[in-house]
Amino acid sequence: MFPFKIGTTSFIYPDDYVPNVKMLGPYLENVELLLFESNHTDALPSEKVIGELANLAKDFNLTYNVHLPTDVSISSRDPQQQSIAVETIIRVAERVAPLSPTTLTLHVPYNETSLDEDDVKSWQERVIKHLAKILANGTPSHLISIENLDYPFEILDPIISELDLTICLDCGHLMLHGDDILAFFNTYSAKTAIIHLYGVAKNHFHGALDQLSETKMAPIMRLLAKFNGIVSMEVFSYAHLDTSLKFMEKCWGQRPPA
């Protein structure tokens, strides 16, 4: 019923990746594999698990997108941390390659002391340098989708353009900072590969979608009507997923004609 593919995260049930996909596969078109942590030995799914996930994708005719680890930062000022981040992302990209993921979503933190021109330029140069190393290892540039976080997204523009990357539009982050979601989408629609959608109440993230008011849902419905990528309900329980999908269907049916 939607022009886009709808999915959710691999942590809907309190279990591992394979059991979650077995439960979700019959009902959704995409699963967001959450690989948030990388600093312990069994953090990444094994090659056996990857093989099982690949088979499930065929069985259910679904695809995967991957959220890259958030415990490393390619924008760190620390050379050792920079190297660890690059090596980690390359390792993850290689591990999930058999799944032919639609996107590899990356957080690029901004921890500089200011948004002065010199600080921004230094940060941009570091990010480009390290992303170039990752791409040189064979990861196609369009697979890397940079997620909007808590700083002006405009400072990522030259990085995304130079390296031909894509964008992960996180609606919750935009709402928290009072940004215009529709304006953001209209600016970056050509580069937006995936959208993260969930409820936001005060400072509580990743709740059920019905936490959003009709006023906040209206622009989201308008942009989704023009979107044909992947929408990931970024929630972490069955109750929140069930409520979110029902609310999404209701809002979609009530949207004004294009």
Side-chain angles (χ1 to χ4, degrees):
M1 66 183 293
F2 305 122
F4 47 83
K5 289 186 176 182
I6 194 145
T8 193
T9 73
S10 57
F11 288 169
I12 294 301
Y13 301 97
D15 210 327
D16 208 346
Y17 298 103
V18 169
N20 269 273
V21 174
K22 284 181 177 179
M23 293 290 285
L24 298 167
Y27 309 104
L28 298 169
E29 299 167 286
N30 184 271
V31 174
E32 178 182 342
L33 298 177
L34 302 177
L35 306 182
F36 287 151
E37 298 179 357
S38 64
N39 58 10
H40 53 89
T41 54
D42 59 347
L44 302 183
S46 67
E47 292 180 3
K48 178 183 178 183
V49 168
I50 293 294
E52 292 182 62
L53 291 174
N55 289 333
L56 290 172
K58 295 176 184 177
D59 293 343
F60 295 126
N61 190 30
L62 61 80
T63 55
Y64 299 105
N65 76 86
V66 174
H67 200 304
L68 294 168
T70 57
D71 59 356
V72 294
S73 172
I74 62 168
S75 59
S76 172
R77 296 180 184 179
D78 183 336
Q80 183 179 5
Q81 293 303 314
Q82 295 166 12
S83 297
I84 290 173
V86 170
E87 292 168 4
T88 297
I89 293 168
I90 288 174
R91 185 169 71 253
V92 173
E94 291 176 342
R95 180 63 57 89
V96 301
L99 301 177
S100 300
T102 53
T103 54
L104 303 173
T105 296
L106 178 65
H107 282 193
V108 183
Y110 188 87
N111 296 318
E112 306 306 294
T113 55
S114 76
L115 284 167
D116 291 342
E117 183 178 351
D118 288 345
D119 284 341
V120 170
K121 185 177 180 181
S122 176
W123 177 85
Q124 289 171 332
E125 289 173 349
R126 284 201 306 278
V127 173
I128 288 174
K129 176 184 175 182
H130 299 129
L131 279 171
K133 290 180 180 178
I134 294 165
L135 298 178
N137 194 65
T139 299
S141 60
H142 70 273
L143 284 187
I144 303 289
S145 61
I146 308 296
E147 183 172 339
N148 57 291
L149 299 176
D150 56 355
Y151 56 87
F153 196 78
E154 291 79 6
I155 66 174
L156 281 164
D157 284 355
I159 298 170
I160 291 169
S161 296
E162 180 170 336
L163 298 178
D164 195 25
L165 309 175
T166 56
I167 293 169
C168 169
L169 191 168
D170 189 293
C171 293
H173 292 161
L174 292 174
M175 282 185 278
L176 179 67
H177 296 286
D179 294 328
D180 187 322
I181 292 177
L182 195 55
F184 186 100
F185 178 76
N186 289 338
T187 301
Y188 297 109
S189 59
K191 282 285 189 178
T192 299
I194 182 169
I195 291 175
H196 288 171
L197 187 57
Y198 48 88
V200 177
K202 296 182 180 179
N203 288 328
H204 181 252
F205 269 31
H206 301 286
L209 198 59
D210 67 347
Q211 293 180 356
L212 299 183
S213 65
E214 290 184 10
T215 301
K216 289 187 175 180
M217 282 299 293
I220 293 173
M221 290 297 104
R222 286 199 292 273
L223 77 86
L224 290 181
K226 300 183 285 185
F227 184 63
N228 60 7
I230 291 167
V231 175
S232 183
M233 290 290 181
E234 207 173 43
V235 295
F236 309 113
S237 74
Y238 172 78
H240 283 172
L241 175 62
D242 184 50
T243 300
S244 296
L245 291 174
K246 289 174 180 175
F247 188 67
M248 177 76 163
E249 185 175 348
K250 174 186 174 183
C251 292
W252 185 258
Q254 294 175 346
R255 77 193 191 285

PDB file of all heavy atoms in Angstrom, residues 90-118:
ATOM      1  N   ILE A  90      35.420  -1.269   7.947  1.00  0.00           N
ATOM      2  CA  ILE A  90      35.808  -2.162   6.847  1.00  0.00           C
ATOM      3  C   ILE A  90      35.465  -3.606   7.195  1.00  0.00           C
ATOM      4  O   ILE A  90      34.924  -4.353   6.363  1.00  0.00           O
ATOM      5  CB  ILE A  90      37.311  -2.012   6.537  1.00  0.00           C
ATOM      6  CG1 ILE A  90      37.571  -0.660   5.854  1.00  0.00           C
ATOM      7  CG2 ILE A  90      37.801  -3.156   5.654  1.00  0.00           C
ATOM      8  CD1 ILE A  90      39.044  -0.355   5.634  1.00  0.00           C
ATOM      9  N   ARG A  91      35.761  -4.006   8.425  1.00  0.00           N
ATOM     10  CA  ARG A  91      35.479  -5.379   8.847  1.00  0.00           C
ATOM     11  C   ARG A  91      33.979  -5.678   8.808  1.00  0.00           C
ATOM     12  O   ARG A  91      33.558  -6.748   8.346  1.00  0.00           O
ATOM     13  CB  ARG A  91      36.025  -5.607  10.254  1.00  0.00           C
ATOM     14  CG  ARG A  91      35.893  -7.052  10.733  1.00  0.00           C
ATOM     15  CD  ARG A  91      36.675  -7.305  12.011  1.00  0.00           C
ATOM     16  NE  ARG A  91      36.073  -6.666  13.172  1.00  0.00           N
ATOM     17  CZ  ARG A  91      36.550  -5.604  13.788  1.00  0.00           C
ATOM     18  NH1 ARG A  91      37.651  -5.017  13.344  1.00  0.00           N
ATOM     19  NH2 ARG A  91      35.939  -5.094  14.847  1.00  0.00           N
ATOM     20  N   VAL A  92      33.173  -4.744   9.259  1.00  0.00           N
ATOM     21  CA  VAL A  92      31.728  -4.938   9.241  1.00  0.00           C
ATOM     22  C   VAL A  92      31.218  -5.007   7.806  1.00  0.00           C
ATOM     23  O   VAL A  92      30.398  -5.875   7.463  1.00  0.00           O
ATOM     24  CB  VAL A  92      31.015  -3.805  10.009  1.00  0.00           C
ATOM     25  CG1 VAL A  92      29.500  -3.921   9.841  1.00  0.00           C
ATOM     26  CG2 VAL A  92      31.385  -3.851  11.483  1.00  0.00           C
ATOM     27  N   ALA A  93      31.691  -4.099   6.956  1.00  0.00           N
ATOM     28  CA  ALA A  93      31.252  -4.084   5.558  1.00  0.00           C
ATOM     29  C   ALA A  93      31.577  -5.407   4.874  1.00  0.00           C
ATOM     30  O   ALA A  93      30.763  -5.936   4.094  1.00  0.00           O
ATOM     31  CB  ALA A  93      31.892  -2.915   4.815  1.00  0.00           C
ATOM     32  N   GLU A  94      32.752  -5.941   5.153  1.00  0.00           N
ATOM     33  CA  GLU A  94      33.135  -7.228   4.571  1.00  0.00           C
ATOM     34  C   GLU A  94      32.261  -8.348   5.103  1.00  0.00           C
ATOM     35  O   GLU A  94      31.859  -9.247   4.344  1.00  0.00           O
ATOM     36  CB  GLU A  94      34.613  -7.511   4.857  1.00  0.00           C
ATOM     37  CG  GLU A  94      35.568  -6.596   4.107  1.00  0.00           C
ATOM     38  CD  GLU A  94      37.025  -6.824   4.491  1.00  0.00           C
ATOM     39  OE1 GLU A  94      37.279  -7.432   5.563  1.00  0.00           O
ATOM     40  OE2 GLU A  94      37.902  -6.386   3.728  1.00  0.00           O
ATOM     41  N   ARG A  95      31.960  -8.316   6.400  1.00  0.00           N
ATOM     42  CA  ARG A  95      31.165  -9.388   7.015  1.00  0.00           C
ATOM     43  C   ARG A  95      29.747  -9.445   6.433  1.00  0.00           C
ATOM     44  O   ARG A  95      29.199 -10.531   6.204  1.00  0.00           O
ATOM     45  CB  ARG A  95      31.120  -9.199   8.529  1.00  0.00           C
ATOM     46  CG  ARG A  95      30.318 -10.252   9.290  1.00  0.00           C
ATOM     47  CD  ARG A  95      30.910 -11.648   9.159  1.00  0.00           C
ATOM     48  NE  ARG A  95      32.282 -11.702   9.616  1.00  0.00           N
ATOM     49  CZ  ARG A  95      32.653 -11.951  10.870  1.00  0.00           C
ATOM     50  NH1 ARG A  95      31.738 -12.181  11.795  1.00  0.00           N
ATOM     51  NH2 ARG A  95      33.942 -11.988  11.193  1.00  0.00           N
ATOM     52  N   VAL A  96      29.141  -8.272   6.219  1.00  0.00           N
ATOM     53  CA  VAL A  96      27.743  -8.259   5.765  1.00  0.00           C
ATOM     54  C   VAL A  96      27.597  -8.243   4.249  1.00  0.00           C
ATOM     55  O   VAL A  96      26.468  -8.312   3.742  1.00  0.00           O
ATOM     56  CB  VAL A  96      26.981  -7.050   6.363  1.00  0.00           C
ATOM     57  CG1 VAL A  96      27.017  -7.094   7.886  1.00  0.00           C
ATOM     58  CG2 VAL A  96      27.534  -5.723   5.847  1.00  0.00           C
ATOM     59  N   ALA A  97      28.700  -8.180   3.518  1.00  0.00           N
ATOM     60  CA  ALA A  97      28.638  -8.114   2.055  1.00  0.00           C
ATOM     61  C   ALA A  97      27.801  -9.223   1.423  1.00  0.00           C
ATOM     62  O   ALA A  97      27.066  -8.969   0.447  1.00  0.00           O
ATOM     63  CB  ALA A  97      30.044  -8.109   1.470  1.00  0.00           C
ATOM     64  N   PRO A  98      27.861 -10.486   1.931  1.00  0.00           N
ATOM     65  CA  PRO A  98      27.038 -11.539   1.323  1.00  0.00           C
ATOM     66  C   PRO A  98      25.534 -11.273   1.386  1.00  0.00           C
ATOM     67  O   PRO A  98      24.762 -11.912   0.659  1.00  0.00           O
ATOM     68  CB  PRO A  98      27.405 -12.783   2.147  1.00  0.00           C
ATOM     69  CG  PRO A  98      28.769 -12.502   2.683  1.00  0.00           C
ATOM     70  CD  PRO A  98      28.771 -11.037   2.962  1.00  0.00           C
ATOM     71  N   LEU A  99      25.114 -10.343   2.230  1.00  0.00           N
ATOM     72  CA  LEU A  99      23.691 -10.012   2.364  1.00  0.00           C
ATOM     73  C   LEU A  99      23.235  -8.973   1.349  1.00  0.00           C
ATOM     74  O   LEU A  99      22.045  -8.668   1.276  1.00  0.00           O
ATOM     75  CB  LEU A  99      23.399  -9.504   3.776  1.00  0.00           C
ATOM     76  CG  LEU A  99      23.724 -10.461   4.924  1.00  0.00           C
ATOM     77  CD1 LEU A  99      23.445  -9.787   6.269  1.00  0.00           C
ATOM     78  CD2 LEU A  99      22.936 -11.749   4.795  1.00  0.00           C
ATOM     79  N   SER A 100      24.174  -8.413   0.580  1.00  0.00           N
ATOM     80  CA  SER A 100      23.863  -7.339  -0.376  1.00  0.00           C
ATOM     81  C   SER A 100      23.004  -6.254   0.279  1.00  0.00           C
ATOM     82  O   SER A 100      21.885  -5.962  -0.174  1.00  0.00           O
ATOM     83  CB  SER A 100      23.143  -7.901  -1.605  1.00  0.00           C
ATOM     84  OG  SER A 100      23.937  -8.850  -2.263  1.00  0.00           O
ATOM     85  N   PRO A 101      23.488  -5.662   1.353  1.00  0.00           N
ATOM     86  CA  PRO A 101      22.670  -4.669   2.069  1.00  0.00           C
ATOM     87  C   PRO A 101      22.322  -3.479   1.189  1.00  0.00           C
ATOM     88  O   PRO A 101      23.086  -3.098   0.297  1.00  0.00           O
ATOM     89  CB  PRO A 101      23.571  -4.246   3.236  1.00  0.00           C
ATOM     90  CG  PRO A 101      24.963  -4.553   2.791  1.00  0.00           C
ATOM     91  CD  PRO A 101      24.843  -5.775   1.930  1.00  0.00           C
ATOM     92  N   THR A 102      21.159  -2.909   1.454  1.00  0.00           N
ATOM     93  CA  THR A 102      20.723  -1.742   0.682  1.00  0.00           C
ATOM     94  C   THR A 102      21.495  -0.501   1.094  1.00  0.00           C
ATOM     95  O   THR A 102      21.764   0.365   0.257  1.00  0.00           O
ATOM     96  CB  THR A 102      19.221  -1.499   0.893  1.00  0.00           C
ATOM     97  OG1 THR A 102      18.949  -1.418   2.303  1.00  0.00           O
ATOM     98  CG2 THR A 102      18.407  -2.640   0.305  1.00  0.00           C
ATOM     99  N   THR A 103      21.816  -0.392   2.386  1.00  0.00           N
ATOM    100  CA  THR A 103      22.604   0.735   2.888  1.00  0.00           C
ATOM    101  C   THR A 103      23.423   0.297   4.092  1.00  0.00           C
ATOM    102  O   THR A 103      23.071  -0.660   4.785  1.00  0.00           O
ATOM    103  CB  THR A 103      21.713   1.925   3.331  1.00  0.00           C
ATOM    104  OG1 THR A 103      20.753   1.464   4.278  1.00  0.00           O
ATOM    105  CG2 THR A 103      21.018   2.578   2.163  1.00  0.00           C
ATOM    106  N   LEU A 104      24.500   1.032   4.330  1.00  0.00           N
ATOM    107  CA  LEU A 104      25.295   0.905   5.554  1.00  0.00           C
ATOM    108  C   LEU A 104      25.234   2.269   6.231  1.00  0.00           C
ATOM    109  O   LEU A 104      25.899   3.212   5.802  1.00  0.00           O
ATOM    110  CB  LEU A 104      26.753   0.539   5.225  1.00  0.00           C
ATOM    111  CG  LEU A 104      26.995  -0.734   4.407  1.00  0.00           C
ATOM    112  CD1 LEU A 104      28.469  -0.846   4.030  1.00  0.00           C
ATOM    113  CD2 LEU A 104      26.549  -1.968   5.179  1.00  0.00           C
ATOM    114  N   THR A 105      24.411   2.378   7.257  1.00  0.00           N
ATOM    115  CA  THR A 105      24.181   3.683   7.874  1.00  0.00           C
ATOM    116  C   THR A 105      25.281   3.997   8.883  1.00  0.00           C
ATOM    117  O   THR A 105      25.599   3.185   9.754  1.00  0.00           O
ATOM    118  CB  THR A 105      22.807   3.724   8.550  1.00  0.00           C
ATOM    119  OG1 THR A 105      21.799   3.587   7.542  1.00  0.00           O
ATOM    120  CG2 THR A 105      22.597   5.031   9.285  1.00  0.00           C
ATOM    121  N   LEU A 106      25.828   5.202   8.767  1.00  0.00           N
ATOM    122  CA  LEU A 106      26.984   5.602   9.560  1.00  0.00           C
ATOM    123  C   LEU A 106      26.704   6.875  10.349  1.00  0.00           C
ATOM    124  O   LEU A 106      26.201   7.855   9.797  1.00  0.00           O
ATOM    125  CB  LEU A 106      28.188   5.827   8.639  1.00  0.00           C
ATOM    126  CG  LEU A 106      29.492   6.312   9.291  1.00  0.00           C
ATOM    127  CD1 LEU A 106      30.043   5.254  10.241  1.00  0.00           C
ATOM    128  CD2 LEU A 106      30.530   6.653   8.214  1.00  0.00           C
ATOM    129  N   HIS A 107      27.048   6.852  11.633  1.00  0.00           N
ATOM    130  CA  HIS A 107      27.072   8.065  12.452  1.00  0.00           C
ATOM    131  C   HIS A 107      28.445   8.716  12.312  1.00  0.00           C
ATOM    132  O   HIS A 107      29.464   8.043  12.462  1.00  0.00           O
ATOM    133  CB  HIS A 107      26.855   7.734  13.933  1.00  0.00           C
ATOM    134  CG  HIS A 107      25.437   7.454  14.292  1.00  0.00           C
ATOM    135  ND1 HIS A 107      25.001   7.390  15.598  1.00  0.00           N
ATOM    136  CD2 HIS A 107      24.343   7.228  13.531  1.00  0.00           C
ATOM    137  CE1 HIS A 107      23.697   7.140  15.627  1.00  0.00           C
ATOM    138  NE2 HIS A 107      23.283   7.019  14.382  1.00  0.00           N
ATOM    139  N   VAL A 108      28.452  10.014  12.044  1.00  0.00           N
ATOM    140  CA  VAL A 108      29.705  10.773  11.997  1.00  0.00           C
ATOM    141  C   VAL A 108      29.602  11.873  13.052  1.00  0.00           C
ATOM    142  O   VAL A 108      29.080  12.959  12.785  1.00  0.00           O
ATOM    143  CB  VAL A 108      29.958  11.379  10.605  1.00  0.00           C
ATOM    144  CG1 VAL A 108      31.315  12.090  10.584  1.00  0.00           C
ATOM    145  CG2 VAL A 108      29.911  10.308   9.528  1.00  0.00           C
ATOM    146  N   PRO A 109      30.071  11.627  14.270  1.00  0.00           N
ATOM    147  CA  PRO A 109      29.928  12.610  15.350  1.00  0.00           C
ATOM    148  C   PRO A 109      30.702  13.902  15.066  1.00  0.00           C
ATOM    149  O   PRO A 109      31.738  13.883  14.394  1.00  0.00           O
ATOM    150  CB  PRO A 109      30.509  11.882  16.574  1.00  0.00           C
ATOM    151  CG  PRO A 109      30.482  10.428  16.215  1.00  0.00           C
ATOM    152  CD  PRO A 109      30.702  10.380  14.733  1.00  0.00           C
ATOM    153  N   TYR A 110      30.166  14.982  15.608  1.00  0.00           N
ATOM    154  CA  TYR A 110      30.872  16.261  15.558  1.00  0.00           C
ATOM    155  C   TYR A 110      31.151  16.687  16.991  1.00  0.00           C
ATOM    156  O   TYR A 110      30.243  17.112  17.717  1.00  0.00           O
ATOM    157  CB  TYR A 110      30.052  17.337  14.844  1.00  0.00           C
ATOM    158  CG  TYR A 110      30.827  18.616  14.608  1.00  0.00           C
ATOM    159  CD1 TYR A 110      31.606  18.777  13.466  1.00  0.00           C
ATOM    160  CD2 TYR A 110      30.813  19.656  15.540  1.00  0.00           C
ATOM    161  CE1 TYR A 110      32.349  19.938  13.254  1.00  0.00           C
ATOM    162  CE2 TYR A 110      31.550  20.813  15.344  1.00  0.00           C
ATOM    163  CZ  TYR A 110      32.317  20.944  14.194  1.00  0.00           C
ATOM    164  OH  TYR A 110      33.059  22.097  13.985  1.00  0.00           O
ATOM    165  N   ASN A 111      32.409  16.567  17.409  1.00  0.00           N
ATOM    166  CA  ASN A 111      32.790  16.876  18.787  1.00  0.00           C
ATOM    167  C   ASN A 111      33.805  18.018  18.868  1.00  0.00           C
ATOM    168  O   ASN A 111      34.565  18.116  19.833  1.00  0.00           O
ATOM    169  CB  ASN A 111      33.358  15.630  19.473  1.00  0.00           C
ATOM    170  CG  ASN A 111      32.321  14.525  19.605  1.00  0.00           C
ATOM    171  OD1 ASN A 111      31.175  14.803  19.935  1.00  0.00           O
ATOM    172  ND2 ASN A 111      32.710  13.290  19.330  1.00  0.00           N
ATOM    173  N   GLU A 112      33.806  18.872  17.849  1.00  0.00           N
ATOM    174  CA  GLU A 112      34.719  20.009  17.879  1.00  0.00           C
ATOM    175  C   GLU A 112      34.236  21.050  18.892  1.00  0.00           C
ATOM    176  O   GLU A 112      33.089  21.013  19.350  1.00  0.00           O
ATOM    177  CB  GLU A 112      34.818  20.630  16.483  1.00  0.00           C
ATOM    178  CG  GLU A 112      35.202  19.631  15.394  1.00  0.00           C
ATOM    179  CD  GLU A 112      36.479  18.876  15.718  1.00  0.00           C
ATOM    180  OE1 GLU A 112      37.528  19.527  15.761  1.00  0.00           O
ATOM    181  OE2 GLU A 112      36.405  17.659  15.950  1.00  0.00           O
ATOM    182  N   THR A 113      35.101  21.980  19.224  1.00  0.00           N
ATOM    183  CA  THR A 113      34.764  22.970  20.245  1.00  0.00           C
ATOM    184  C   THR A 113      33.821  24.048  19.731  1.00  0.00           C
ATOM    185  O   THR A 113      33.177  24.740  20.523  1.00  0.00           O
ATOM    186  CB  THR A 113      36.037  23.642  20.780  1.00  0.00           C
ATOM    187  OG1 THR A 113      36.770  24.199  19.679  1.00  0.00           O
ATOM    188  CG2 THR A 113      36.911  22.611  21.488  1.00  0.00           C
ATOM    189  N   SER A 114      33.746  24.198  18.401  1.00  0.00           N
ATOM    190  CA  SER A 114      32.875  25.232  17.841  1.00  0.00           C
ATOM    191  C   SER A 114      32.521  24.860  16.405  1.00  0.00           C
ATOM    192  O   SER A 114      33.008  23.868  15.858  1.00  0.00           O
ATOM    193  CB  SER A 114      33.572  26.599  17.865  1.00  0.00           C
ATOM    194  OG  SER A 114      34.541  26.671  16.828  1.00  0.00           O
ATOM    195  N   LEU A 115      31.685  25.700  15.800  1.00  0.00           N
ATOM    196  CA  LEU A 115      31.359  25.555  14.384  1.00  0.00           C
ATOM    197  C   LEU A 115      32.076  26.623  13.568  1.00  0.00           C
ATOM    198  O   LEU A 115      31.643  26.969  12.469  1.00  0.00           O
ATOM    199  CB  LEU A 115      29.847  25.648  14.179  1.00  0.00           C
ATOM    200  CG  LEU A 115      29.047  24.403  14.591  1.00  0.00           C
ATOM    201  CD1 LEU A 115      27.559  24.713  14.657  1.00  0.00           C
ATOM    202  CD2 LEU A 115      29.307  23.244  13.623  1.00  0.00           C
ATOM    203  N   ASP A 116      33.182  27.122  14.110  1.00  0.00           N
ATOM    204  CA  ASP A 116      33.989  28.076  13.353  1.00  0.00           C
ATOM    205  C   ASP A 116      34.530  27.410  12.091  1.00  0.00           C
ATOM    206  O   ASP A 116      34.717  26.191  12.035  1.00  0.00           O
ATOM    207  CB  ASP A 116      35.159  28.582  14.198  1.00  0.00           C
ATOM    208  CG  ASP A 116      34.691  29.469  15.343  1.00  0.00           C
ATOM    209  OD1 ASP A 116      33.541  29.950  15.282  1.00  0.00           O
ATOM    210  OD2 ASP A 116      35.473  29.667  16.294  1.00  0.00           O
ATOM    211  N   GLU A 117      34.820  28.225  11.109  1.00  0.00           N
ATOM    212  CA  GLU A 117      35.238  27.710   9.802  1.00  0.00           C
ATOM    213  C   GLU A 117      36.437  26.776   9.895  1.00  0.00           C
ATOM    214  O   GLU A 117      36.463  25.720   9.261  1.00  0.00           O
ATOM    215  CB  GLU A 117      35.567  28.883   8.870  1.00  0.00           C
ATOM    216  CG  GLU A 117      35.936  28.441   7.455  1.00  0.00           C
ATOM    217  CD  GLU A 117      36.200  29.623   6.540  1.00  0.00           C
ATOM    218  OE1 GLU A 117      35.933  30.773   6.957  1.00  0.00           O
ATOM    219  OE2 GLU A 117      36.674  29.405   5.400  1.00  0.00           O
ATOM    220  N   ASP A 118      37.439  27.141  10.702  1.00  0.00           N
ATOM    221  CA  ASP A 118      38.647  26.310  10.802  1.00  0.00           C
ATOM    222  C   ASP A 118      38.345  24.952  11.434  1.00  0.00           C
ATOM    223  O   ASP A 118      38.856  23.919  10.977  1.00  0.00           O
ATOM    224  CB  ASP A 118      39.723  27.037  11.615  1.00  0.00           C
ATOM    225  CG  ASP A 118      40.328  28.205  10.867  1.00  0.00           C
ATOM    226  OD1 ASP A 118      40.139  28.285   9.636  1.00  0.00           O
ATOM    227  OD2 ASP A 118      40.982  29.045  11.516  1.00  0.00           O
TER     228      ASP A 118
END
